[in-house]
Amino acid sequence: MFWGNGMEQQEQFNFSGLQLSAVKEMSNIGLGHAATALSDMTGRSFNMSVPNIESVPVAQLSELMGGPESTALAVYMPFEGDVFGYIAFLFPWQSAANLWEMLLGTAPDDPSLVGDMEASAMLEVGNIINSNFLNAISDMTDLKMHATPPAFAVEMTQAILSAIVSEAEEHDAVALAVETQIFDESSSTSGYFLCIPSTEGLQLMFSKLGISEAA
């Protein structure tokens, strides 16, 4: 999924098949490394995949997350270097609960019951996914990008998306969102990884890959 900056503007960018393939390849590489890191951390076998990439207006992402007033969790961090922008991993509440069950064997029944243990686990997983996505993009494009320490939020989906996009749009950003599935031997859950480079940064990334810029 790809969209232009601004929650109300909803300006869409058209991506070619080659660009979509490049994003999916970077995503799969990043997820492969993230799954390995998560397995090493927990001592259990995890896999990750990208079941879907499509183009939708930003306002529709909240519907994919369960609606604008639904509860979501986000692990979010700015990045800088040759390209600057923001990365985040978002889980709908039920997906987050499923992940806690996978990692901890239990999950809070209500967002108000999220404690330090649950927040720490989600921060670690989000940091692993975000960092490995960023590393995959950096490795494929030969561009240096460094993430800052992650932040964690439990909020209504619309509030989280508004905060992320409002910061990003100050830098003329374009968001790339990739549905991400996480699964072990017996269960699975899914969320959305967001990479939000500046428009100039996105064009530079595609240029490094030898692909013409988005329209």
Side-chain angles (χ1 to χ4, degrees), residues 19-89:
Q19 290 167 339
L20 288 171
S21 295
V23 171
K24 189 159 189 175
E25 183 178 355
M26 286 187 287
S27 300
N28 280 320
I29 291 172
L31 284 174
H33 293 317
T36 298
L38 186 58
S39 296
D40 290 343
M41 182 185 77
T42 62
R44 297 168 52 195
S45 178
F46 283 92
N47 288 293
M48 300 186 191
S49 66
V50 179
N52 192 39
I53 298 178
E54 61 182 292
S55 177
V56 297
V58 64
Q60 292 182 14
L61 183 60
S62 64
E63 298 303 322
L64 297 175
M65 298 282 291
E69 296 184 359
S70 64
T71 300
L73 289 82
V75 177
Y76 163 76
M77 61 185 78
F79 64 88
E80 54 191 22
D82 294 331
V83 176
F84 63 87
Y86 305 84
I87 51 177
F89 200 91

Side-chain angles (χ1 to χ4, degrees), residues 23 65 69 76 92 100 105 108-110 113 129 144 163 192-193:
V23 171
M65 298 282 291
E69 296 184 359
Y76 163 76
W100 279 318
D109 295 325
D110 184 87
L113 300 177
I129 294 173
K144 295 180 180 178
Y192 291 88
F193 171 77

Side-chain angles (χ1 to χ4, degrees), residues 194-211:
L194 309 181
C195 179
I196 315 177
S198 64
T199 301
E200 180 181 353
L202 180 66
Q203 294 171 353
L204 178 60
M205 285 161 53
F206 281 131
S207 174
K208 288 286 189 177
L209 292 170
I211 303 172

Side-chain angles (χ1 to χ4, degrees), residues 72-76 88-91 122-123 151-155 160 164:
L73 289 82
V75 177
Y76 163 76
F89 200 91
L90 277 72
F91 287 100
M122 197 62 68
L123 264 170
F152 174 74
V154 183
E155 274 280 4
I160 291 175
I164 293 174

Side-chain angles (χ1 to χ4, degrees), residues 3-8 58-59 61 76 86 158-173 175 194 196:
W3 62 84
N5 60 329
M7 291 293 291
E8 296 181 359
V58 64
L61 183 60
Y76 163 76
Y86 305 84
Q158 190 69 16
I160 291 175
L161 291 174
S162 294
I164 293 174
V165 174
S166 64
E167 288 192 38
E169 69 181 349
E170 294 178 4
H171 302 284
D172 188 26
L194 309 181
I196 315 177

